[in-house]
Amino acid sequence: QVQLVESGGGLVQPGGSLRLSCAPSTSIFSINAALWYRQTPGKEREWVAAFTSGGATNYRDSVKGRFTISRDNAKDIVYLQMTSLRPEDTAVYYCNLQIRKNYGSRKVDYWGQGTQVTVSS
């Protein structure tokens, strides 16, 4: 069973930066696609950034130019670099990876446990 381990959240002042990480708990064959979502109390989870199977990256408008999604293929780690953080970025951030556990196995979606990001002075 693959679990995703997230880290990097915390408290930061407006204008600050954080880098979130997401990695499988066991060895895998490949990460096909990677997404980051966020959620605040009382609201639906919203998509933030994506790294597609074709290698393209996409971002929701409110984070374009401030957030960067990337991946370390050698280490199977996906990152979300967040800069120029704003109070409205405060949320629990979740990673969602589409993984092939072994060569030839089907792609399966996994979710991280979430990490809290709080932007406040």
Side-chain angles (χ1 to χ4, degrees), residues 77-92:
I77 300 176
V78 175
Y79 301 100
L80 183 67
Q81 178 69 51
M82 305 183 294
T83 63
S84 301
L85 282 162
R86 305 167 180 170
E88 54 264 37
D89 295 318
T90 296
V92 177

Side-chain angles (χ1 to χ4, degrees), residues 95-109:
C95 61
N96 171 221
L97 304 187
Q98 190 180 69
I99 289 173
R100 288 188 191 274
K101 178 70 167 66
N102 301 294
Y103 175 76
S105 62
R106 63 187 180 93
K107 293 174 286 187
V108 178
D109 277 342

Side-chain angles (χ1 to χ4, degrees), residues 38 48 59 63 65-68 80-83 85 89 93:
R38 65 187 180 189
V48 175
Y59 303 91
V63 308
R66 300 188 299 121
F67 290 13
T68 303
L80 183 67
Q81 178 69 51
M82 305 183 294
T83 63
L85 282 162
D89 295 318
Y93 284 71

Side-chain angles (χ1 to χ4, degrees), residues 6-12 17-20 36 38-40 67 80 82 85-94 114-120:
E6 293 187 40
S7 61
L11 172 64
V12 64
S17 299
L18 283 174
R19 188 177 76 164
L20 307 183
W36 286 94
R38 65 187 180 189
Q39 188 170 24
T40 55
F67 290 13
L80 183 67
M82 305 183 294
L85 282 162
R86 305 167 180 170
E88 54 264 37
D89 295 318
T90 296
V92 177
Y93 284 71
Y94 298 89
T115 185
Q116 176 70 46
V117 171
T118 302
V119 185
S120 175

Side-chain angles (χ1 to χ4, degrees), residues 30-64:
S30 67
I31 297 173
N32 188 62
L35 300 96
W36 286 94
Y37 290 80
R38 65 187 180 189
Q39 188 170 24
T40 55
K43 293 186 177 182
E44 291 191 359
R45 191 171 297 186
E46 64 181 21
W47 164 78
V48 175
F51 201 114
T52 70
S53 58
T57 56
N58 293 295
Y59 303 91
R60 72 181 299 110
D61 287 345
S62 61
V63 308
K64 282 182 181 176

